[in-house]
């Protein structure tokens, strides 16, 4: 079986400081990490590979070259091929463009299943997996908490999706896109010290626009249909805090707050 | 001699009930907090000791040591088990851990001569509680006070949170009793002062169990004036300002009991409720009323002098509250273990160094820069900062703290994270002439730099080992570098 | 006249009208024509709020098939040329919106919580970086403005009832998914506090009144959590401890009753939307992070709030 995991290297939200005046995120100070949902997807794939040595796992990511070290970390696991799609012309692409770029590369690769995370930590959207599926003309499902390893092969996958009230089991014909969430609890294996010290720098495949041949007006900000124009910090300090007494007025304040926020 | 013989002989020297060979206890005795993560995850790479023994007197300690000395068995002295630098880690198969559990008596509290005598296994908290009942204090308050015991506290040259007033343990110890590997028992008498040759207390204080076993300690005691305690807190613009303000108070001749400066990152975790992404400077004044008043004036004057760097003053109650919740109980330590069982991350690794006033900010900046630039796992750090918490007239310490996600096999944690970070801190400190070990001792994980720490004076340290422990049975690998131990370190 | 298309909130049909607030903020009241697209049988709650209700005929598409639903919406757009298409941010909506945007080659803003209008520009606001910051997004290009809307972010106040025209959509779906639903089971309510959107947490200050917390938790459909203080004292089980050595939780509402807020406790709180603390000390550290601080005894607070809720509910 051939699995492609599509992942994103994201800034750790806890390390982000927002410079409001200049409308930038102080990204260089931010720690980069594998998006947690994506880590679960990859963990599942590596689990499949562990029990089936013929399984081939490729990890694909689109991002700046600064994502390279984190992609290399993944090569230190049992991943068969790692690909970073990176080109200055892709920077600033919205999800529409990103999924087109990823789609064009992935269409050239053999695969039976695409595994992704559901949500990205930074954007908080699930657009890329869905739009990637649309680009490739595939089915796709978000919010997967479990994939049945015994009913997962090149023809079909059976998996569970959870929402507030229900757990639903679906079967999807493969190839298709399965997007896993953190609630799955799939956990990446540990990297051993010897693997950590291994030099993998020439094992990562770098794909640029030379390979993909997009017109420069179709990618990056030029090709995007949305544009972030402002950033507002939402910090704890910004909360306008009420101190109220434990009396009729205070209780009413709490009550109204609960009601307004839909807790009652 | 094999393990069974060792156990049998120890049972004869003591009683069998004083010899513990429970496998869980032996596993626990094979490492300390330096490898706490690997320990919790049950992947320690070091041998387990042969037995733990619990002597009840200096004579029993003497017999045990003499026996070990005769057969070349490694001895690890042990008290409260809060060691952080590998002092309790075991690198030998034939090791006997000598635990102070039954040396647990407070022998004498003498409020007229202002001193108290305890056995080595008395927890500091126990003596402190006894003294408080009578209106006195030891003045010693390491964060591990509820758990650490006198043997360990003296053996590591520990220091407490009120050190700026009361000093470190070395300023408190009046006299003591200790046992050498050949079985000899020495008692250093309790006098106010003397000039009887070199101060031999200092051979024992800080020996980390590598020269002798401490059985009894006499410390000074102080009158306790909690009603006079005063607290000050400030948000300051940078570490430099914080350290300058500390210096100002110190060099003008004042001794607040607490004088600390926290970096932004460290402040953010301790003082999330008021830090506003600033550094925090804080003081506590205690003692007799007049002294407290004078000290407060000095603190206020220093704040005034550096007002350009001070952003605002903090409600002093917040500082007082924070202090009252700072110490760690055994429960806290157990809890931390529970946490490490489940989470691939850990908070609270530290390395503490010291230097003069001029050098401390340089070391701090160099360390921060080097870690960010060249440490390959810098992106796994979830916190990196530090604070100065013990000041002297000529300098201060820097307590580096770092938390990280642990994205490697648990057995490699120390090699991937803690040790490389500590290495950077130690190297930068030694390069600028500071000390790499302000108060946790050298243990086993800083021994690769012991010679560099001491330079030409290492000669003296080496001679002590040769004189008192010629067969090298005491705490193999602690303080003194050992080729054989490198595999557990690197 | 602008045209706005709103897809049904398939989890709570009546909430579909709230999305009209988004259109109003963009275009102004009475300045647009609204179309609701419904899969559900019942459209009563929407009558009078929309100009058009388009009912998808029974059996055309599975209610869990985003691809099929996209077909329908795409077709409707071709016919009607909407200026905006708004999709509720439900789990189904999250799979429909990006697909539709891709088909229509238009930009999509997800999880929208607010709309700002400044000098002719419509700035669409959404939380990013786990809610740490808000982004203001502009829609560029020619396609319709597409958004998925964060549930409960907008509330619509109805105006005069409209004459709603109801029509049926009957065209067969050309590209349904190859997905089958095998079975659905109830989501076993685990007792894990991490799964709860509402946590009523107690600490040292509610030693005596801890059982009362369960009453309040029930009333707010939440669970009870505790600080380590209560766990140490054997009052609360360890499984509900929040903090560094306990669990890390991200509820929408965290009510901290008699909790001081030590750094080890706070280490267990991540991305809490609303924090209410009740404490006899108004300067306890946790109060500094709270939306509301109730200064007083936690036991009495529970009593009073429960009474108020009881009155409201009866
Ligand atoms: C939460 C926490 C906070 C801490 N805070 C501080 C602090 O504020 N200040 C500070 O200085 N340290 C601190 N430490 C470090 C530690 O508590 C001290 O080093 C303490 O002095 C160790 O005492 P112990 O009784 O636990 O000794 P152990 O851990 O049992 O032993 C420490 C060392 O002393 C040797 N030793 C023990 N008993 C004897 C003996 N009877 N004779 C000879 N050698 C012996 C051991 O072989 C070992 O090398 C902290 C540790 C923790 C876990
Ligand atoms: C390694 C380590 C790990 C730890 N892990 C955790 C952890 O996971 N979780 C955790 O919670 N703690 C943890 N702790 C303990 C933590 O430091 C605190 O001791 C603990 O959180 C205190 O709990 P508390 O705030 O409920 O109690 P207290 O500190 O006793 O505070 C009680 C609060 O209630 C208020 N109060 C008193 N009476 C009333 C009343 N009648 N009505 C309203 N308010 C009242 C008081 O003003 C005060 O603010 C850990 C500590 C360590 C060292």
């Amino acid at each position: 079986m051939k699995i492609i995991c599509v992942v994103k290297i994201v800034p750790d939200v806890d390390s982000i400081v927002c410079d409001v005046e200049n409308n930038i995120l102080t990204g260089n100070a931010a720690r980069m990490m594998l998006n947690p949902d994506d880590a679960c997807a990859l963990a599942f794939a590596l689990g499949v590979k562990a029990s089936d040595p013929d399984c081939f796992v490729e990890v694909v990511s689109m991002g700046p070259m600064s994502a390279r070290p984190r992609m290399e970390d993944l090569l230190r696991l049992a991943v068969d091929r790692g690909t970073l799609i990176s080109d200055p012309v892709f920077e600033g692409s919205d999800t529409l463009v990103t999924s087109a770029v990823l789609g064009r590369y992935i269409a050239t690769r053999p695969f039976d299943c695409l595994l992704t995370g559901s949500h990205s930590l930074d954007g908080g959207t699930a657009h890329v997996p869905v739009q990637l599926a649309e680009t490739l003309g595939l089915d796709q499902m978000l919010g997967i908490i479990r994939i049945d390893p015994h009913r997962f092969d090149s023809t079909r996958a059976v998996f569970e999706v959870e929402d507030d009230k229900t757990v639903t089991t679906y079967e999807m014909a493969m190839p298709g896109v399965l997007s896993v969430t953190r609630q799955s609890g799939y956990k990446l294996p540990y990297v051993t010290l010897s693997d950590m010290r291994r030099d993998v720098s020439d094992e990562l495949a770098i794909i640029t626009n030379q390979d993909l041949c997009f017109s420069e007006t179709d990618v990056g900000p030029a090709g995007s249909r949305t544009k972030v124009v402002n950033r507002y910090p939402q910090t704890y300090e910004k909360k306008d805090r009420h101190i109220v007494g434990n009396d009729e007025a205070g209780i009413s304040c709490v009550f109204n707050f609960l009601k307004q926020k839909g807790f009652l | 001699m094999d393990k069974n013989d060792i156990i049998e002989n120890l049972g004869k020297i003591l009683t069998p009930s004083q010899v513990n060979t429970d496998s869980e206890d032996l596993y626990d005795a094979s490492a300390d907090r330096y490898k706490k993560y690997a320990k919790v995850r049950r992947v320690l790479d070091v041998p387990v000791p042969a037995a733990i023994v619990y002597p009840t007197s200096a004579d029993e300690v003497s017999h045990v040591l003499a026996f070990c000395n005769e057969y070349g068995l490694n001895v690890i002295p042990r008290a409260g088990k809060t060691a952080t630098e590998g002092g309790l880690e075991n690198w030998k198969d034939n090791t006997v851990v000598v635990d102070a559990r039954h040396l647990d008596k407070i022998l004498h509290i003498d409020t007229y001569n202002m001193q108290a005598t305890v056995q080595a296994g008395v927890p500091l908290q126990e003596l402190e509680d006894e003294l408080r009942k009578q209106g006195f204090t030891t003045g010693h308050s390491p964060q591990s006070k509820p758990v650490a015991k006198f043997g360990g506290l003296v053996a590591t040259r520990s220091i407490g949170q009120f050190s700026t007033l009361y000093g470190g343990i070395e300023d408190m110890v009046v006299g003591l009793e200790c046992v050498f590997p050949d079985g000899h028992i020495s008692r250093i008498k309790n006098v106010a002062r003397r000039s009887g040759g070199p101060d031999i207390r200092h051979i024992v204080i800080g020996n980390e169990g590598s020269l002798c076993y401490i059985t009894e300690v006499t410390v000074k005691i102080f009158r306790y004036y909690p009603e006079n305690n005063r607290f000050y807190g400030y948000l300051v613009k940078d570490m430099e300002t914080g350290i300058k303000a500390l210096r100002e108070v110190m060099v003008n001749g004042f001794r607040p009991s607490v004088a600390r400066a926290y970096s932004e990152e460290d402040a953010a975790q301790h003082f999330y409720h008021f830090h506003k992404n600033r550094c925090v400077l804080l003081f506590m004044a205690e003692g007799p009323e007049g002294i407290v008043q004078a000290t407060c004036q000095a603190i206020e004057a220093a704040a005034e002098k550096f007002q350009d760097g001070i952003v605002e003053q903090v409600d002093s109650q917040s500082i007082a509250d924070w202090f009252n919740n700072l110490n760690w109980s055994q429960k806290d330590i157990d809890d931390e273990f529970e946490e490490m069982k489940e989470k691939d991350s850990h908070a609270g690794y530290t390395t503490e160094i010291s230097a003069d006033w001029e050098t401390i900010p340089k070391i701090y900046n160099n360390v921060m820069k080097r870690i960010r630039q060249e440490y390959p796992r810098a992106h796994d750090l979830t916190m990196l900062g530090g604070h100065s918490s013990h000041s002297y007239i000529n300098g201060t310490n820097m307590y580096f703290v770092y938390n990280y996600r642990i994205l490697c096999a648990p057995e490699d944690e120390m090699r991937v994270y803690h040790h490389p970070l500590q290495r950077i801190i130690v190297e930068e400190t030694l390069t600028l002439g500071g000390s790499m070990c302000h108060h946790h001792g050298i243990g086993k994980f800083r021994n690769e730099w012991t010679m560099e720490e001491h330079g030409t004076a290492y000669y003296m340290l080496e001679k002590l080992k040769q004189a008192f422990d010629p067969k090298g049975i005491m705490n193999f690998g602690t303080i003194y570098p050992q080729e054989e131990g490198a595999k557990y370190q690197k | 006249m602008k045209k706005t298309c709103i897809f049904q909130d398939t989890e709570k049909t009546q909430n579909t009208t709230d999305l009209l607030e988004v259109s109003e903020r963009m275009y102004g009241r009475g300045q647009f024509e609204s179309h609701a697209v419904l899969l559900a049988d019942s459209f009563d709650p929407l009558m009078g709020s929309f100009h058009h209700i388009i009912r998808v005929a029974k059996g055309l598409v599975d209610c869990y098939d985003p691809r099929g639903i996209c077909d329908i919406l795409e077709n409707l757009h071709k016919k009607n040329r909407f200026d905006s298409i708004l999709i509720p941010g439900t789990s189904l909506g999250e799979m429909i919106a990006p697909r539709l945007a891709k088909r229509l080659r238009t930009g999509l803003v997800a999880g929208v919580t607010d709309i700002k209008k400044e000098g002719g520009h419509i700035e669409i606001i959404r939380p990013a970086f786990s809610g740490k910051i808000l982004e203001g997004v502009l829609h560029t290009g020619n396609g319709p403005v597409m958004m998925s809307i964060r549930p409960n972010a907008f509330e619509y106040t109805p105006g005069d009832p409209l004459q709603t025209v109801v029509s049926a959509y009957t065209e067969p779906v050309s590209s349904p998914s190859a997905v089958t639903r095998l079975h659905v089971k109830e989501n076993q309510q685990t007792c894990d506090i991490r799964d709860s959107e509402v946590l009523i947490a107690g600490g040292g200050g509610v030693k005596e009144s801890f059982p009362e917390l369960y009453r309040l938790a029930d009333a707010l459909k939440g669970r009870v959590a505790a600080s380590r203080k209560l766990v140490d004292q054997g009052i609360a089980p360890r499984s509900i401890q929040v903090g560094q050595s306990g669990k890390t939780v991200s509820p929408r509402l965290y009510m901290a009753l008699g909790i001081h807020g030590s750094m080890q406790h706070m280490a267990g709180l991540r991305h809490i939307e609303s924090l209410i603390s009740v404490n006899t000390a108004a300067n306890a550290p946790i109060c500094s992070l709270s939306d509301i601080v109730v200064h007083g005894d936690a036991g009495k607070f529970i009593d009073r709030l429960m009474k108020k809720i009881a009155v409201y509910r009866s």
Side-chain angles (χ1 to χ4, degrees):
Chain A
M1 186 164 191
K2 295 189 169 56
I3 302 174
I4 295 183
C5 290
V6 186
V7 305
K8 184 175 184 188
I9 306 297
V10 296
D12 180 351
V13 289
D14 292 334
S15 71
I16 288 180
V17 186
C18 179
D19 179 347
V20 199
E21 274 157 37
N22 302 311
N23 184 27
I24 49 161
L25 297 171
T26 42
N28 43 350
R31 300 182 294 268
M32 302 300 281
M33 61 189 281
L34 177 61
N35 186 46
D37 281 14
D38 305 0
C40 295
L42 179 58
F44 174 77
L46 291 175
V48 173
K49 185 177 166 67
S51 55
D52 170 16
D54 291 336
C55 173
F56 186 92
V57 177
E58 173 171 358
V59 181
V60 177
S61 183
M62 170 170 153
M65 282 309 275
S66 59
R68 183 177 188 142
R70 301 288 75 75
M71 285 299 286
E72 288 181 2
D73 283 350
L74 303 183
L75 291 173
R76 298 173 209 279
L77 298 167
V79 166
D80 297 290
R81 182 182 153 101
T83 306
L84 177 61
I85 304 176
S86 191
D87 197 304
V89 301
F90 297 153
E91 264 164 47
S93 297
D94 67 0
T95 61
L96 208 60
V97 174
T98 303
S99 55
V101 174
L102 283 165
R104 191 171 287 184
Y105 168 73
I106 289 170
T108 68
R109 301 289 305 160
F111 65 89
D112 301 307
C113 175
L114 291 185
L115 282 171
T116 76
S118 274
H119 287 264
S120 73
L121 205 58
D122 53 347
T125 78
H127 292 181
V128 171
V130 181
Q131 295 188 326
L132 180 61
E134 180 62 26
T135 308
L136 296 166
L138 298 173
D139 284 321
Q140 187 274 348
M141 196 65 85
L142 289 176
I144 296 176
I145 54 156
R146 203 182 87 86
I147 302 173
D148 183 348
H150 306 296
R151 290 186 284 173
F152 177 70
D153 56 36
S154 54
T155 63
R156 55 95 163 84
V158 173
F159 52 87
E160 289 174 5
V161 172
E162 184 187 52
D163 64 26
D164 282 355
K165 297 188 199 80
T166 57
V167 176
T168 310
T169 309
Y170 293 100
E171 178 173 319
M172 185 191 285
M174 291 289 108
V177 183
L178 304 181
S179 305
V180 178
T181 76
R182 253 169 291 180
Q183 280 67 47
S184 65
Y186 293 132
K187 199 163 169 291
L188 284 175
Y190 293 118
V191 188
T192 65
L193 189 59
S194 56
D195 279 331
M196 202 171 265
R197 290 179 177 165
R198 211 174 80 211
D199 180 16
V200 294
S201 49
D202 54 349
E203 288 177 35
L204 185 70
I206 305 288
I207 300 288
T208 67
N209 199 30
Q210 288 215 314
D211 307 290
L212 298 177
C213 309
F214 278 92
S215 146
E216 292 202 6
T217 53
D218 288 345
V219 293
S224 300
R225 304 298 201 297
T226 53
K227 184 171 165 224
V228 176
V229 287
N230 272 317
R231 290 207 160 99
Y232 313 93
Q234 224 183 23
T235 52
Y236 285 129
E237 286 80 10
K238 281 267 291 192
K239 285 188 173 170
D240 35 56
R241 179 158 63 105
H242 297 293
I243 300 187
V244 298
N246 200 359
D247 47 21
E248 181 50 36
I251 299 290
S252 290
C253 170
V254 172
F255 178 82
N256 291 334
F257 182 88
L258 295 175
K259 210 171 119 200
Q260 179 210 336
K261 296 265 174 180
F263 292 115
L264 281 171
Chain B
M1 191 170 262
D2 71 10
K3 285 197 178 190
N4 288 331
D5 297 332
I6 296 171
I7 294 162
E8 205 187 310
N9 276 294
L10 287 170
K12 284 181 197 147
I13 295 167
L14 304 170
T15 59
S17 68
Q18 285 169 278
V19 183
N20 182 354
T21 57
D22 176 79
S23 60
E24 199 48 44
D25 291 342
L26 291 178
Y27 177 79
D28 175 57
S30 53
D32 62 25
R33 297 175 57 81
Y34 202 81
K35 285 190 183 158
K36 58 187 172 181
Y37 188 71
K39 187 174 179 178
V40 172
R41 298 297 185 100
R42 308 209 61 98
V43 291
L44 283 176
D45 55 353
V46 290
V48 292
I52 305 165
V53 296
Y54 306 103
T56 57
S57 65
D59 282 338
E60 285 190 356
V61 173
S62 163
H63 296 147
V64 171
L65 293 197
F67 163 74
C68 293
N69 199 38
E70 186 178 346
Y71 294 98
L73 311 177
N74 184 34
V75 171
I76 299 184
R78 185 170 93 168
K81 301 201 292 182
T82 60
T84 59
E85 297 296 324
L88 297 179
E89 186 164 311
N90 177 37
W91 287 354
K92 289 278 195 187
D93 279 321
N94 286 344
T95 293
V96 179
V97 173
V98 182
D99 189 297
R101 179 182 296 177
H102 295 325
L103 297 168
D104 57 353
K105 281 164 212 63
I106 297 178
L107 299 174
H108 189 45
I109 293 178
D110 180 350
T111 56
Y112 191 79
N113 294 308
M114 296 296 275
Q115 58 195 27
T117 303
V118 295
Q119 288 186 306
V122 172
L124 173 54
Q125 185 81 58
E126 218 171 285
L127 177 62
E128 184 67 26
D129 291 347
E130 271 319 303
L131 289 173
R132 292 280 179 93
K133 286 183 203 156
Q134 306 177 39
F136 295 89
T137 175
T138 57
H140 200 44
S141 185
Q143 222 187 334
S144 52
K145 175 160 75 179
V147 192
K149 299 174 178 176
F150 272 92
L153 291 162
V154 173
T156 53
R157 282 181 76 90
S158 63
I159 199 163
Q161 294 155 103
F162 309 123
S163 72
T164 309
L165 175 59
Y166 298 101
I169 193 82
E170 69 277 14
D171 301 305
M172 300 164 176
V173 173
V174 180
L176 53 78
E177 178 189 70
C178 62
V179 185
F180 288 92
D182 60 4
H184 179 80
I185 302 176
S186 289
R187 286 187 69 87
I188 300 178
K189 68 182 174 187
N190 303 325
V191 288
R193 186 185 189 272
R194 58 176 161 163
S195 68
D199 193 337
I200 50 178
R201 288 175 297 188
H202 291 294
I203 294 172
V204 180
I205 301 173
N207 89 79
E208 296 186 53
S210 70
L211 300 176
C212 62
Y213 192 96
I214 301 159
T215 46
E216 190 188 297
V217 183
T218 299
V219 288
K220 296 173 192 166
I221 62 175
F222 303 86
R223 224 171 247 296
Y224 188 52
Y225 305 91
E227 65 283 2
N228 296 342
N229 291 353
R230 295 271 299 275
F231 298 86
Y232 287 87
Y234 304 91
L235 303 186
V236 295
K237 130 175 155 279
D238 51 26
M239 267 312 247
E240 234 114 349
T241 305
I243 287 173
K244 276 197 185 132
L246 295 180
R247 177 184 172 278
E248 181 71 14
V249 174
M250 295 304 294
V251 300
N252 285 341
F254 294 92
R255 309 275 301 257
S257 57
V258 178
R260 295 186 171 206
Y262 282 78
S263 76
E264 287 94 336
E265 303 83 355
D266 202 4
Q269 62 163 358
H270 282 276
F271 313 110
Y272 72 87
H273 51 304
F274 60 72
H275 70 90
K276 300 185 179 161
N277 289 320
R278 299 296 186 166
C279 297
V280 169
L281 169 69
L282 55 87
F283 294 97
M284 171 180 178
E286 67 173 276
E289 203 181 338
I291 291 183
V292 168
Q293 267 170 16
T295 311
C296 288
Q297 277 165 16
I299 293 168
E300 287 162 16
E304 181 73 27
K305 178 164 175 189
F306 293 100
Q307 59 179 317
D308 287 349
I310 290 181
V311 182
E312 64 182 65
Q313 189 164 1
V314 180
D315 174 25
S316 62
Q317 189 57 40
S318 306
I319 307 289
D321 280 354
W322 175 74
F323 247 107
N324 294 333
N325 290 304
L326 209 51
N327 284 349
W328 278 45
S329 61
Q330 185 59 46
K331 173 73 201 158
D332 290 326
I333 292 175
D334 296 347
D335 230 46
E336 188 189 44
F337 266 59
E338 286 303 313
E339 170 202 344
M340 288 186 289
K341 266 186 202 166
E342 284 171 17
K343 298 186 182 163
D344 288 344
S345 67
H346 183 59
Y349 287 103
T350 59
T351 299
E352 21 61 68
I353 58 100
S354 65
D356 58 31
W357 290 114
E358 223 178 317
T359 313
I360 274 288
K362 292 181 193 151
I363 296 177
Y364 180 78
N365 293 333
N366 290 359
V367 166
M368 290 295 145
K369 203 165 119 204
R370 215 178 124 192
I371 291 180
R372 291 200 180 108
Q373 281 176 0
E374 76 180 51
Y375 173 57
R377 308 298 304 180
H379 55 281
D380 289 336
L381 291 170
T382 51
M383 208 280 292
L384 170 66
H387 57 265
S388 154
S389 45
H390 305 273
S391 282
Y392 312 88
I393 197 153
N394 58 336
T396 187
N397 81 315
M398 182 53 60
Y399 200 81
F400 289 97
V401 285
Y402 31 98
N403 304 338
Y404 40 79
R405 274 192 296 264
I406 300 173
L407 300 179
C408 68
E411 55 271 36
D412 299 326
E413 176 273 320
M414 177 220 105
R415 290 179 178 84
V416 175
Y417 295 100
H418 191 10
H419 206 55
L421 287 165
Q422 182 162 70
R423 173 180 303 279
I424 291 175
I425 297 167
V426 168
E427 285 176 0
E428 291 305 313
T429 303
L430 291 176
T431 302
L432 290 180
S435 167
M436 65 169 180
C437 39
H438 175 260
H439 65 261
H440 284 161
I442 290 175
K444 294 187 178 65
F445 288 92
R446 289 194 276 205
N447 70 7
E448 45 183 309
W449 301 284
T450 306
M451 289 182 199
E452 215 181 315
E453 167 76 22
H454 287 281
T456 52
Y458 183 69
Y459 171 81
M460 297 162 75
L461 212 58
E462 207 172 17
K463 289 289 176 211
L464 287 177
K465 185 78 176 171
Q466 287 162 11
F468 293 116
D469 182 22
K471 293 175 103 178
I473 64 155
M474 295 301 285
N475 213 341
F476 179 78
T478 291
I479 299 182
Y480 299 91
Q482 297 289 350
E483 200 61 36
E484 201 187 320
K487 60 176 180 287
Y488 302 122
Q489 283 173 316
K490 290 178 190 159
Chain C
M1 197 70 142
K2 299 283 186 188
K3 278 192 202 171
T4 198
C5 170
I6 292 175
F7 182 69
Q8 177 195 357
D9 185 324
T10 49
E11 286 171 14
K12 272 192 196 140
T13 305
Q14 67 273 24
N15 287 3
T16 312
T17 44
D18 283 337
L19 274 65
L20 285 166
E21 176 70 14
V22 180
S23 314
E24 266 199 25
R25 298 263 196 97
M26 287 194 290
Y27 308 128
R29 182 156 278 209
Q31 302 300 305
F32 62 94
E33 187 184 280
S34 54
H35 298 247
V37 180
L38 257 75
L39 296 179
D41 312 321
S42 154
F43 52 88
D44 294 348
L46 310 189
M47 285 301 281
S49 297
F50 287 85
H51 294 100
H52 297 273
I53 291 182
I54 303 163
R55 298 182 64 200
V56 176
K58 253 203 168 126
L60 269 191
V61 67
D62 289 323
C63 61
Y64 55 84
D65 176 5
R67 247 171 131 183
I69 296 168
C70 265
D71 264 9
I72 296 170
L73 292 172
E74 189 186 2
N75 260 332
L76 285 169
H77 177 68
K78 279 190 188 140
K79 274 190 210 122
N80 294 292
R81 293 286 148 199
F82 300 119
D83 295 285
S84 55
I85 303 177
L86 311 179
I87 313 268
T90 57
S91 18
L92 178 65
E94 283 195 336
M95 291 192 274
I96 296 172
R99 225 179 238 280
L100 186 62
K102 183 91 193 174
R103 290 197 190 180
L104 303 179
R105 298 176 168 283
T106 191
L108 166 65
V109 190
V112 174
T113 54
D114 203 0
I115 302 286
K116 279 194 184 158
K117 235 180 133 172
E118 253 164 63
H121 286 302
I122 295 169
E123 191 178 319
I124 307 168
I125 310 288
R126 62 180 299 266
F129 295 99
S130 303
K132 251 193 150 172
I133 61 167
L134 295 174
E135 280 180 351
V137 185
L138 281 193
H139 189 272
T140 58
N142 308 320
V145 174
M146 273 199 69
M147 300 180 213
S148 69
I149 311 296
R150 172 96 163 250
N152 299 323
F154 293 88
E155 196 178 351
Y156 178 67
T157 333
D160 296 335
L162 302 170
Q163 279 293 60
T164 305
V165 180
V166 181
S167 60
Y169 181 94
T170 52
E171 273 175 56
V173 167
S174 55
S175 62
S177 306
V179 177
T180 18
R181 184 158 67 184
L182 299 183
H183 49 85
V184 182
K185 63 178 187 226
E186 209 172 300
N187 196 351
Q188 292 282 329
Q189 283 300 329
T190 55
C191 306
D192 196 326
I193 54 169
R194 284 173 294 205
D195 298 336
S196 189
E197 295 229 310
V198 174
L199 287 178
I200 309 300
V206 292
K207 264 194 299 248
E208 276 88 40
S209 47
F210 188 65
E212 299 298 301
L213 268 64
Y214 286 92
R215 282 173 53 214
L216 184 56
D218 287 345
L220 295 174
K221 296 194 201 60
R223 294 208 175 86
V224 172
S227 77
R228 210 188 78 191
K229 193 60 147 263
L230 295 186
V231 176
D232 285 354
Q233 295 174 346
I235 296 170
R238 198 184 155 93
S239 61
I240 65 167
Q241 177 183 321
V242 169
Q244 182 183 313
S245 51
K247 299 206 158 88
T248 303
V249 297
S250 311
R252 287 185 51 222
L253 172 67
Y254 193 78
M255 222 188 254
L257 306 175
I259 293 179
H260 189 65
S262 68
M263 65 189 240
Q264 291 93 355
H265 185 79
M266 303 314 279
L269 302 184
R270 276 285 151 83
H271 316 306
I272 306 282
E273 202 177 292
S274 305
L275 178 60
I276 297 178
S277 55
V278 183
N279 205 301
T280 43
N283 64 347
I286 198 164
C287 298
S288 70
L289 298 188
S290 308
D291 298 274
I292 302 179
V293 176
V294 180
H295 186 191
D297 177 76
K300 293 204 186 92
F301 166 81
I302 298 179
D303 261 3
R304 291 176 187 153
L305 183 60
M306 287 300 293
K307 282 202 188 99
K308 183 115 190 160
I309 294 174
V311 170
Y312 168 73
R313 294 223 160 117
S314 65

